[in-house]
Amino acid sequence: MSKPTPFHLAVPVYDLVETRAFYRDVLGCEEGRSSDHWVDFNLFGHQFVIHLKPKEEQPTLHHNPVDGHDVPVPHFGVVLEMQAWEDLADDLKAKGVKFIIEPYIRFKGEVGEQATMFFKDPSGNALEFKAFGDMSQIFAK
């Protein structure tokens, strides 16, 4: 596999001001270009954009069972180095972020063992940040 390049992801948000503050102040993302309807962020080296969209009356919620937890679908996030993941988990706990799935080690002792945590931004977008003690396990079967 060649060296990974940054991805681009754009997600809908219903409150640009509150969600912008979350990514900037809680996750520590550097802000890039913006308008009255969208904001670019550097999300751990990736181009991430929030776009203003009116809130739905009845948003569709779905979960899949994974390792004894209900994983929200859809979700997105970044694979971090283990120390960066641990630092982020500690920082989010200190800032009072409410977790959907608390930070823990998934698939312990199995192929693909990984640290993971899930939480939502203020607009309800589910995020997962994970790390592998052995990065060669990312795509292991």
Side-chain angles (χ1 to χ4, degrees):
M1 177 172 84
S2 62
K3 182 181 176 191
T5 58
F7 67 74
H8 166 81
L9 177 66
V11 300
V13 302
Y14 61 83
D15 186 323
L16 198 64
V17 173
E18 182 180 30
T19 308
R20 178 185 223 161
F22 175 82
Y23 285 100
R24 183 188 59 226
D25 303 335
V26 175
L27 286 182
C29 297
E30 181 181 337
E31 197 172 308
R33 295 175 300 276
S34 66
S35 81
D36 292 341
H37 303 285
W38 56 268
V39 182
D40 281 347
F41 289 100
N42 176 344
L43 180 69
F44 296 90
H46 301 281
Q47 186 186 39
F48 175 70
V49 187
I50 57 174
H51 282 272
L52 187 59
K53 177 186 176 208
K55 187 175 182 179
E56 297 177 31
E57 290 292 320
Q58 282 290 74
T60 304
L61 301 175
H62 183 78
H63 295 86
N64 282 332
V66 179
D67 193 35
H69 294 276
D70 289 330
V71 171
V73 177
H75 65 265
F76 65 92
V78 178
V79 177
L80 303 171
E81 297 290 334
M82 189 60 77
Q83 187 61 57
W85 182 89
E86 290 170 352
D87 293 346
L88 178 61
D90 290 344
D91 188 49
L92 294 174
K93 287 177 188 176
K95 290 177 178 171
V97 169
K98 180 180 176 190
F99 291 95
I100 300 168
I101 299 174
E102 294 277 338
Y104 83 107
I105 303 299
R106 173 191 286 169
F107 310 129
K108 195 158 185 73
E110 300 176 31
V111 172
E113 179 177 301
Q114 59 195 262
T116 187
M117 62 180 140
F118 285 82
F119 53 94
K120 290 183 179 179
D121 71 15
S123 290
N125 294 300
L127 292 92
E128 176 187 19
F129 284 84
K130 59 172 66 179
F132 292 79
D134 177 356
M135 291 296 258
S136 72
Q137 293 287 298
I138 293 175
F139 301 109
K141 294 181 182 180

